[in-house]
Amino acid sequence: MAADYYDILGLSKSASADEIQKAYRKLARKFHPDMNPDDKSAKENFQKVQQAYDTLGTPEKRKLYDQLGPQYEQMGAGGPGGPGAGPGGFRWGPGGGPGAGGVPPDVDLSDILGRMFGGGAPGAGAAGGFEFPFGGTEAPTTRGPNRRRGRARAAAPPSDTLREVTIPFTTAIQGGETSVVVRREDGEFGTLTVKIPPGVNDGAKLRLGGQGEAGPNGEPPGDLIVVIRIDSHPSFQRKGNDLVVRVPVSLSEAVLGAKIDVPTPRGTVALKVPPKTSSGKRLRVKGFGVQPKQGTPGDLFAEIQIVLPEPMDDDLLEAIRRQGEHAGADPRTDLRW
């Protein structure tokens, strides 16, 4: 029995679209093959999460899934129907209505058929009460000299496939690769490698021509559109093409000055901390920020954060106490709402 998509994402059937997206992002990050290179089960779990989100994250697909369950994916794909079977294996009873083995009574047939054939609801005809258009050809609805023909309809263009992936902060800055799961024409899921350009922005869309999923009725694949989401970093933040890094320094380094090593996307740099540097002071390293594929690189700003020693001995505490008695201006003079 196929796993329930809501169970895969850890959600109830009443989950909102925002809850579905948050659950997907969390699980996709957890099981992404790039994050779990030594876990062979991660790829399989990642594919399940992607498949669940592909359905529940699309309102039209979710509606059909809620009504029909996983069988909704078989619509328009052909299947055993026997005499009187309609497209996708559905059976029609007398007069065009659903037969005993057909569609549940609470399903909007016009909505389903419209989505299956790329247009509105089918018009009335002689074959079982419905007249189905087949691509751009004319389908006869009656036999004889006065037969009627359906209206020719142009084939719909291939539909694009939308995927959202979360990449590490470092990959967004330096470029690299990520993996995207896509259903192939044979119905199986495959992993596609997508190149990430350096300096890509959160929310950027990468288009891969012809790499999307095939249509339900055998239409050729459209484009794959990958929406980039960037994970946070514990120490770095991005401001346009500039980077801000929080750099811890000891009390003695801040007071007396020091030369310290700071990691950057372009390697480690030696940063000079001037004597008497306060917490929050930003030291600029020109040209060591984000280097986009085109354009001028940004700068790196090292934000100093003083870390007090643990434990403090009595002599140090006494020295700090004496300094406080002779302190100058109030350090919070400019602090206001």
Side-chain angles (χ1 to χ4, degrees):
M1 183 176 181
D4 183 82
Y5 290 162
Y6 289 100
D7 289 342
I8 290 175
L9 297 182
L11 299 170
S12 67
K13 291 188 176 181
S14 60
S16 66
D18 186 55
E19 290 173 331
I20 291 173
Q21 187 178 67
K22 287 182 178 178
Y24 163 71
R25 288 184 181 179
K26 178 180 178 181
L27 293 174
R29 186 182 301 114
K30 178 180 179 181
F31 294 119
H32 199 289
D34 292 350
M35 306 285 191
N36 304 273
D38 300 325
D39 185 358
K40 295 182 180 180
S41 65
K43 179 179 179 180
E44 181 180 354
N45 290 327
F46 180 70
Q47 290 177 338
K48 290 179 180 179
V49 170
Q50 185 70 70
Q51 183 179 8
Y53 179 69
D54 181 46
T55 294
L56 301 185
T58 306
E60 295 82 359
K61 291 183 180 180
R62 183 183 182 185
K63 179 180 179 181
L64 293 177
Y65 179 81
D66 289 343
Q67 293 173 330
L68 301 175
Q71 291 76 16
Y72 92 94
E73 295 178 339
Q74 300 173 3
M75 293 173 52
F90 288 107
R91 298 178 60 84
W92 306 102
V103 182
D106 59 340
V107 177
D108 184 347
L109 293 177
S110 63
D111 179 59
I112 292 175
L113 293 173
R115 299 188 188 284
M116 287 170 60
F117 293 100
F130 289 93
E131 175 183 322
F132 297 99
F134 293 87
T137 63
E138 294 184 347
T141 58
T142 61
R143 297 182 181 275
N146 295 322
R147 68 184 184 182
R148 297 164 53 208
R149 291 182 177 273
R151 180 181 300 174
R153 178 174 295 173
S159 298
D160 293 334
T161 300
L162 190 68
R163 288 288 184 271
E164 184 176 291
V165 296
T166 300
I167 62 175
F169 185 90
T170 52
T171 301
I173 302 303
Q174 297 177 292
E177 296 180 345
T178 190
S179 300
V180 178
V181 176
V182 178
R183 192 201 315 268
R184 294 307 181 191
E185 295 184 57
D186 58 5
E188 297 296 324
F189 282 87
T191 302
L192 186 68
T193 299
V194 179
K195 291 187 177 181
I196 306 297
V200 68
N201 290 302
D202 187 79
K205 295 181 179 180
L206 307 180
R207 180 181 290 270
L208 284 75
Q211 295 296 317
E213 296 184 348
N217 297 309
E219 296 93 340
D223 295 345
L224 173 64
I225 300 176
V226 181
V227 181
I228 300 298
R229 298 299 178 192
I230 302 174
D231 208 352
S232 60
H233 192 284
S235 301
F236 284 80
Q237 289 183 325
R238 180 176 179 176
K239 305 291 183 182
N241 282 340
D242 293 333
L243 291 176
V244 179
V245 57
R246 295 186 293 273
V247 181
V249 298
S250 67
L251 181 61
S252 62
E253 289 173 330
V255 174
L256 303 177
K259 184 174 288 188
I260 60 176
D261 290 337
V262 177
T264 79
R266 295 169 57 185
T268 301
V269 297
L271 181 66
K272 183 178 180 180
V273 179
K276 302 179 183 179
T277 297
S278 299
S279 260
K281 175 75 173 179
R282 288 188 175 184
L283 306 177
R284 180 183 179 186
V285 184
K286 186 175 178 60
F288 276 74
V290 180
Q291 172 64 73
K293 194 171 183 180
Q294 295 180 342
T296 305
D299 298 332
L300 176 72
F301 291 89
E303 185 177 287
I304 300 301
Q305 294 186 328
I306 298 175
V307 180
L308 297 178
E310 282 288 344
M312 289 188 181
D313 59 33
D314 292 339
D315 291 340
L316 178 58
L317 290 174
E318 180 60 28
I320 293 175
R321 188 177 295 111
R322 289 198 305 269
Q323 190 279 333
E325 293 173 354
H326 302 285
D330 183 352
R332 292 172 293 281
T333 299
D334 296 329
L335 181 64
R336 59 176 59 87
W337 179 252

